[in-house]
Amino acid sequence: MGRANNKKEANKPPKQPTKGVPAKCTGCDVEFASKNSLFRHLTATRGKCLPPDEYNAFMLHVVNNQRNLEKIAVLFGYLPSQYYLDGGNDASDASDDGADDNKKKGTYFVGVSGGDHASMLAVQAIQTVSLGGAAAENDCSKDQARSKISSPDDDLYGKVNRSFGCNARASSSPGLLEQDAHTGALSEVLCTMAPPLLGSDEDGSAQLELQKWISDVNTELKRVVNDLKDNMPSEAAGCHPGEIRIFGRVSISNKKFNAETDVSPCRRIEYLMPLDFLVPTTDDMDKAIRIPREDSVQ
């Protein structure tokens, strides 16, 4: 029976490739071999061939459809605000009545406030740049959608999959592997979902698209940090609001990849201390830390 079925399969004519139905772009009047080719053209022209409302709908329902998103790893870094580095924005410093709720609602953040806050803002900026057409949803303009990005999101804050996070490992060593309070990171990795970038490696356009994407996300992050600066309370007036930068992204084919557990968790914290802390001036001799002559300071 098995041999008979194999014979029938062998005698079947080979399947012919499916030909796409030709489609024309109404904006530039160019005809394409298939709808997929037309969609690539509409995406590459970035709204030049469609009215704004139609382009937003196209981005939302076609390009940025959940089925088209890919998993990406993003290399980013952040410098917390001076207020946070000096010990502010710590939930333990707030009153017990609703401190955590206030932190999540954004009433307690002053500038960039730690890794959870920075990674949340980074993901929000990526979504704004990569999923820009989604701003048309629910009759919400892009400016209105952007104005919400500086407010902490309960669905993202503390839940972004990042290498310095402590969600997957918290059960085995609660508190032990958490990021040190009031520190930043020169480089860290986070995972999120985003539409794939256009471009080809053959003509170099893929690298250009990547650089443009990085530039656009960093521009959005700069705008967000400026919003945080404008909303600083009086006690933090004059403090640096912090910075967040995206350095690169790569596609992740392994769906099980976890930035928290699969990226090396090694960390090195560098502290800057005034020189007179180790080598006191004559005025501070009584407060100095005595270091024996035979010991050397590395």
Side-chain angles (χ1 to χ4, degrees):
M1 188 72 177
R3 289 181 181 178
N5 287 337
N6 290 338
K7 264 190 175 182
K8 288 181 181 179
E9 291 293 332
N11 292 331
K12 281 186 179 180
K15 290 184 178 180
Q16 297 297 322
T18 304
K19 291 184 178 181
V21 178
K24 180 181 287 189
C25 173
T26 56
C28 60
D29 207 34
V30 174
E31 187 169 304
F32 295 88
S34 65
K35 283 187 177 180
N36 285 340
S37 299
L38 173 61
F39 289 164
R40 283 193 290 270
H41 164 73
L42 293 175
T43 305
T45 52
R46 303 182 187 280
K48 294 179 181 178
C49 290
L50 290 174
D53 56 338
E54 291 184 18
Y55 178 70
N56 281 338
F58 168 72
M59 291 294 293
L60 176 63
H61 299 293
V62 179
V63 178
N64 298 335
N65 187 290
Q66 203 63 29
R67 292 174 298 179
N68 295 334
L69 303 185
E70 67 173 1
K71 188 173 187 178
I72 62 172
V74 177
L75 182 66
F76 74 114
Y78 49 93
L79 172 68
S81 68
Q82 188 61 50
Y83 185 81
Y84 180 77
L85 290 174
D86 289 343
N89 280 17
D90 194 337
S92 62
D93 296 336
S95 59
D96 293 334
D97 49 347
D100 289 339
D101 291 339
N102 288 338
K103 192 174 182 183
K104 286 184 178 180
K105 290 176 183 176
T107 57
Y108 200 64
F109 288 131
V110 180
V112 179
S113 304
D116 284 334
H117 190 211
S119 59
M120 181 201 72
L121 294 178
V123 170
Q124 287 179 326
I126 290 170
Q127 290 174 347
T128 297
V129 171
S130 299
L131 309 178
E137 193 174 19
N138 298 326
D139 297 325
C140 176
S141 70
K142 193 164 185 175
D143 288 338
Q144 290 172 326
R146 282 183 164 188
S147 68
K148 301 174 183 177
I149 203 169
S150 57
S151 300
D153 186 341
D154 288 345
D155 293 332
L156 282 178
Y157 181 74
K159 300 175 184 176
V160 176
N161 181 233
R162 62 189 186 97
S163 53
F164 287 1
C166 193
N167 293 319
R169 298 175 293 190
S171 57
S172 59
S173 304
L176 181 62
L177 298 175
E178 290 183 12
Q179 183 176 359
D180 301 82
H182 308 291
T183 60
L186 292 178
S187 62
E188 189 180 347
V189 175
L190 66 80
C191 277
T192 187
M193 302 295 290
L197 297 177
L198 301 172
S200 168
D201 290 329
E202 295 179 1
D203 58 6
S205 58
Q207 187 62 25
L208 293 176
E209 283 293 323
L210 174 61
Q211 294 303 320
K212 184 181 186 309
W213 181 87
I214 293 173
S215 176
D216 289 345
V217 176
N218 282 332
T219 299
E220 176 64 13
L221 283 169
K222 187 175 181 180
R223 185 198 67 79
V224 170
V225 172
N226 284 337
D227 282 352
L228 292 173
K229 181 180 179 181
D230 293 341
N231 292 318
M232 279 188 167
S234 57
E235 64 266 24
C239 288
H240 191 281
E243 289 189 49
I244 311 172
R245 287 290 179 271
I246 300 294
F247 302 122
R249 67 176 262 180
V250 293
S251 301
I252 302 295
S253 57
N254 184 356
K255 294 182 179 180
K256 294 183 179 180
F257 178 83
N258 186 307
E260 184 180 322
T261 57
D262 295 332
V263 176
S264 173
C266 296
R267 309 171 192 173
R268 184 181 70 180
I269 300 176
E270 297 182 356
Y271 295 93
L272 295 178
M273 295 182 290
L275 181 61
D276 57 8
F277 182 80
L278 298 176
V279 184
T281 62
T282 55
D283 295 338
D284 295 329
M285 288 300 292
D286 294 336
K287 304 175 184 178
I289 297 176
R290 306 296 177 181
I291 302 177
R293 284 183 180 273
E294 59 270 18
D295 293 347
S296 60
V297 180
Q298 298 294 328

